[in-house]
Amino acid sequence: MWGEPARGVERLDDTDQRLIAALRRDGRAAVSDLAVQLGLSRATVRARIERLVARGEISGFTVMTRADVSAAPVRGLMMLCIDGRATEKVVARLLGLPPVQAVHTTNGQWDLIAEIGARSLEELDETILSIRRVEGVGRTETNLQLSSRRPAARF
């Protein structure tokens, strides 16, 4: 039935969702700070994090450094429509291009979204042209990321 989790898959409750949102805002937050923020005990927060990791709901923790952003200050999202059944080949080719930082499958009008980080507009333009030459890539649309904002930590 619609809206119900698949058999053997637990649905995230409100507390899990709030915990994941807090970790998205600050992946380095101390368990004690998360406990205060969520109104839970430290043991409960630690157990929930461990359970979410074990179930695969949290697949890792990451850090974005100033070097990550400054090495590729020109950032864009490229939406791609793929011809036929070429998706896997196109994804492999895209991931082989150094400026392509991630590729996402999606639904709707576009088949893939590529995150691109370049050192300059010229490098971004070259990357876009290279992607458009990949066999199996049909229509594309690219949007520059002008600024990025993340929710502030709420304590």
Side-chain angles (χ1 to χ4, degrees), residues 11-116:
R11 177 176 280 163
L12 294 178
D13 65 15
D14 181 60
T15 302
D16 286 338
Q17 290 176 3
R18 289 182 19 223
L19 175 57
I20 289 171
L23 287 169
R24 281 187 174 135
R25 286 189 298 275
D26 183 1
R28 294 186 61 214
V31 171
S32 56
D33 291 339
L34 291 168
V36 169
Q37 184 180 349
L38 298 172
L40 301 169
S41 72
R42 285 180 21 198
T44 299
V45 170
R46 183 176 314 282
R48 281 182 176 258
I49 290 172
E50 289 172 0
R51 180 176 48 82
L52 290 167
V53 169
R55 284 181 23 201
E57 297 293 339
I58 296 176
S59 60
F61 298 85
T62 188
V63 169
M64 181 178 275
T65 66
R66 182 182 347 209
D68 294 330
V69 175
S70 63
V74 180
R75 306 178 71 73
L77 296 174
M78 184 176 198
M79 286 68 71
L80 300 97
C81 190
I82 306 303
D83 297 331
R85 295 185 175 149
T87 301
E88 291 304 316
K89 288 180 182 179
V90 170
V91 169
R93 288 287 308 276
L94 294 179
L95 292 174
L97 298 171
V100 175
Q101 299 177 336
V103 177
H104 309 277
T105 58
T106 186
N107 67 332
Q109 164 177 344
W110 304 105
D111 299 308
L112 299 174
I113 298 175
E115 293 181 42
I116 303 169

